[in-house]
Amino acid sequence: RDPLNFTAAKSISIAQLAGASDVESLTDVGLLTQTGYLTIKSVSGETIFVDYPNDAVRQAMASLYLQVLLGKTIEQAGVRNLASMLAKDNPETLVHMFNRLLESIDYKDYAIKDEASLRAVLQVAMVGSGLSPRIECHNAHGRSDLEVTSGGRHIVLELKYCGGYISASAPKRLLKEAVEQMEKRRYGMQTEEKELLRIALVFSGSERRITEWSVVPPTKSLEVDEQFGTVLIEGLDTLTIDNRSK
């Protein structure tokens, strides 16, 4: 029932699913399972785990959930062809687009109160636009908040939530923390896409929008090939060095 729970794991007990005889007594998960919008993925003891049966249903449900969040369609909120925008538009335009979405949310019923709910809104919007965003993407150094590929561009978002009315320096401090986190943990550097775009974002709980953001250039790595006397720097040309003993 809560659109922000769109991507949460869904389960129902066997007793609940088998015993429900009318719509009024069904839970939302039970109703969606009975009508085929959710399908059984696995069973553990008395618990049934369900999920959307295919990408088409997932996209359709995400569009409906987003419309509930916004109280209007995504186009009526001023965002047209989200997938194309993510693939082609510059970072500043993307941040403005995110803010149009976030500022359209019914804050009374669906308040963004932490990083998880902020991420959920962006994820639902992307799924509803036919994309396949991934959350908490692991690599050898940590896990990024959200990653998505559109066209030939791979986008990595690191999200921070700045709650309430706190010090004026807090958003900039959180932005600095997000940038350092992306650099240190090399988020998105494993992608094989032609273009990598990494953006650190800070959402203000008082202003209810993204107030600070920064593009984080790809992290360069350095490897020394002692046999051939070269330095290999990711993203740059190979440099020749003299590694002979002095």
Side-chain angles (χ1 to χ4, degrees):
R1 288 186 174 88
D2 186 346
L4 293 179
N5 292 331
F6 170 77
T7 59
K10 302 167 184 63
S11 64
I12 187 172
S13 71
I14 293 176
Q16 282 180 311
L17 190 60
S21 57
D22 61 88
V23 173
E24 294 299 325
S25 62
L26 278 172
T27 63
D28 53 345
V29 173
L31 179 60
L32 290 172
T33 304
Q34 293 277 26
T35 54
Y37 288 97
L38 291 174
T39 189
I40 296 173
K41 294 297 183 180
S42 64
V43 179
S44 178
E46 296 296 313
T47 302
I48 300 173
F49 294 92
V50 296
D51 201 354
Y52 302 106
N54 52 55
D55 289 340
V57 173
R58 187 185 305 275
Q59 181 179 346
M61 292 300 297
S63 296
L64 289 173
Y65 274 60
L66 186 62
Q67 190 165 341
V68 172
L69 278 171
L70 302 177
K72 63 187 80 172
T73 66
I74 188 172
E75 291 79 14
Q76 290 171 332
V79 178
R80 298 184 181 277
N81 203 338
L82 174 61
S84 178
M85 292 182 70
L86 289 170
K88 300 176 182 178
D89 285 2
N90 62 58
E92 183 175 6
T93 300
L94 296 184
V95 174
H96 288 324
M97 177 266 294
F98 291 151
N99 274 333
R100 281 199 294 273
L101 284 175
L102 297 169
E103 291 174 333
S104 298
I105 291 173
D106 182 346
Y107 202 82
K108 179 177 179 295
D109 293 327
Y110 307 112
I112 295 176
K113 55 187 181 298
D114 51 29
E115 291 174 18
S117 52
L118 171 60
R119 182 180 61 199
V121 171
L122 298 179
Q123 186 180 12
V124 169
M126 291 175 186
V127 174
S129 299
L131 300 174
S132 300
R134 296 182 299 136
I135 63 172
E136 296 186 343
C137 301
H138 292 255
N139 67 12
H141 307 282
R143 58 187 182 186
S144 59
D145 283 327
L146 191 153
E147 299 192 18
V148 65
T149 297
S150 187
R153 174 189 278 178
H154 187 73
I155 300 172
V156 183
L157 302 180
E158 183 61 26
L159 310 172
K160 296 297 180 183
Y161 178 85
C162 186
Y165 296 89
I166 54 180
S167 68
S169 63
K172 293 188 181 299
R173 175 179 56 79
L174 287 171
L175 179 64
K176 182 175 183 291
E177 178 182 317
V179 169
E180 291 176 349
Q181 188 172 334
M182 296 190 87
E183 292 175 336
K184 181 178 180 180
R185 300 182 181 179
R186 299 177 56 78
Y187 292 156
M189 294 302 296
Q190 299 74 36
T191 183
E192 296 180 356
E193 299 298 328
K194 293 181 180 178
E195 180 185 358
L196 172 61
L197 175 60
R198 306 193 302 176
I199 311 177
L201 304 164
V202 178
F203 179 89
S204 168
S206 58
E207 297 189 37
R208 299 174 185 174
R209 64 195 304 272
I210 295 167
T211 56
E212 300 287 341
W213 64 277
S214 178
V215 173
V216 183
T219 307
K220 295 179 175 60
S221 63
L222 182 150
E223 299 177 8
V224 178
D225 187 325
E226 296 183 353
Q227 180 180 358
F228 295 102
T230 57
V231 176
L232 308 177
I233 304 178
E234 188 174 320
L236 297 178
D237 294 334
T238 299
L239 305 177
T240 301
I241 61 172
D242 185 354
N243 64 347
R244 294 173 294 179
S245 299
K246 300 296 183 182

